[in-house]
Amino acid sequence: MTYPAKYPTLNETNLTPEARAILQRIIRTAFPHPDFPDAAYERMTDRIVTEADASTWFRVVLTQGLIALGAQSEEPFLELSDERALAVLRRVSDLEFFGFIRRTTVLNLYDDPQVWEVLGYEGPSFDKGGYLNRGFDDLDWLPTPRIEAPEGYVPDTGPLPYPVSRPGQRPAAGAPGAGGSEATAGNADSAPDRDAAAGPAAARAAGPAPDSGTGAQAPRQHGGGGAA
C-alpha cells in the first residue's frame, strides 16, 4: 500500500543513525548469538533497510515502529539490559513492524557466510563436487561413534540358532520337521512309490466301468443265456 499522491512526504522517510542502531539492537536481542560477529548483524540491518526501501508501506511501518518502541519503557531502548529489551520486544511482537523484522531476519541472517563458519556449516556442496570426497563425516561436534558393543549386547542380525532346510532337501535328523528318525524319513520317502503301485491293482480289482460295454454286460448286449 502506498500513498504517493496524498502524502508525498512519506516517500522521503528515512532511518536516522539512531533508528538504525535501534534496529540492530532489536535483531541482536531477538536472535541472540554471542559467537556471531557484529558484521553479520550490521549486514542484516542493511538488508532490512533495503527491503523496506522497496516498499513505501514497509518503510513507513518500520520507521514509525522504531519511534514507537521508545514509548514502551522509561529508558531509551539502546540503554536497556538484554532482559528488559527482550521484555519490550515481547510486548510489541504482534505489531506489523516487528513481524517484518522477524521474517526478514529469519530468511537472511542464517544465509550469511560468516554465520555459516560459526555454525560449522561448509556451505553448498554442489559446485564443489559434493561432500562424499570432501570429509562429509568430519563434523567434530558430533559424538564419537561407538566401536565395541557393550557387554551383554545381542545383535538383531546374524545366523539363526537352528538349521534351515532348503526346498528339495531332506531335513537333518533332530531339526524341526525332520520327523524323528531316519526310519521314519525312509518310510516317508517311499510313500509316493507305494501309492503309484497300488493304483493299477485297485483298478483291476474293481473291474470295468458300468458304461464300458465289456465284461459282465456282454451277455446282455448279445441277448444270451438264462436272462431270457
Side-chain angles (χ1 to χ4, degrees), residues 57-58 61 92-101 103:
W57 172 253
F58 282 123
V61 166
V92 300
S93 60
D94 294 334
L95 299 183
E96 187 170 0
F97 95 97
F98 184 77
F100 170 67
I101 295 174
R103 61 176 174 267

Side-chain angles (χ1 to χ4, degrees), residues 31-111:
F31 298 86
H33 297 282
D35 297 334
F36 282 14
D38 293 338
Y41 288 103
E42 293 173 0
R43 284 190 293 270
M44 191 63 248
T45 301
D46 294 337
R47 182 59 181 265
I48 292 178
V49 173
T50 301
E51 294 286 340
D53 286 341
S55 170
T56 302
W57 172 253
F58 282 123
R59 183 165 66 251
V60 173
V61 166
L62 179 62
T63 304
Q64 297 300 321
L66 294 176
I67 295 174
L69 189 65
Q72 299 295 324
S73 62
E74 297 180 356
E75 301 179 46
F77 184 77
L78 293 176
E79 299 178 6
L80 296 177
S81 63
D82 292 341
E83 293 78 9
R84 294 181 62 188
L86 181 59
V88 169
L89 292 184
R90 286 175 175 170
R91 289 199 295 267
V92 300
S93 60
D94 294 334
L95 299 183
E96 187 170 0
F97 95 97
F98 184 77
F100 170 67
I101 295 174
R102 178 173 52 202
R103 61 176 174 267
T104 306
T105 304
V106 168
L107 295 176
N108 296 277
L109 177 61
Y110 302 100
D111 199 26

Side-chain angles (χ1 to χ4, degrees), residues 112-137:
D112 190 302
Q114 278 192 315
V115 173
W116 294 349
E117 185 176 354
V118 173
L119 297 178
Y121 175 54
E122 299 180 8
S125 64
F126 179 77
D127 58 341
K128 300 179 181 63
Y131 283 126
L132 182 60
N133 298 319
R134 296 179 54 248
F136 72 96
D137 57 349

Side-chain angles (χ1 to χ4, degrees), residues 193-206:
D193 298 335
R194 292 197 307 269
D195 293 341
R204 289 192 298 272

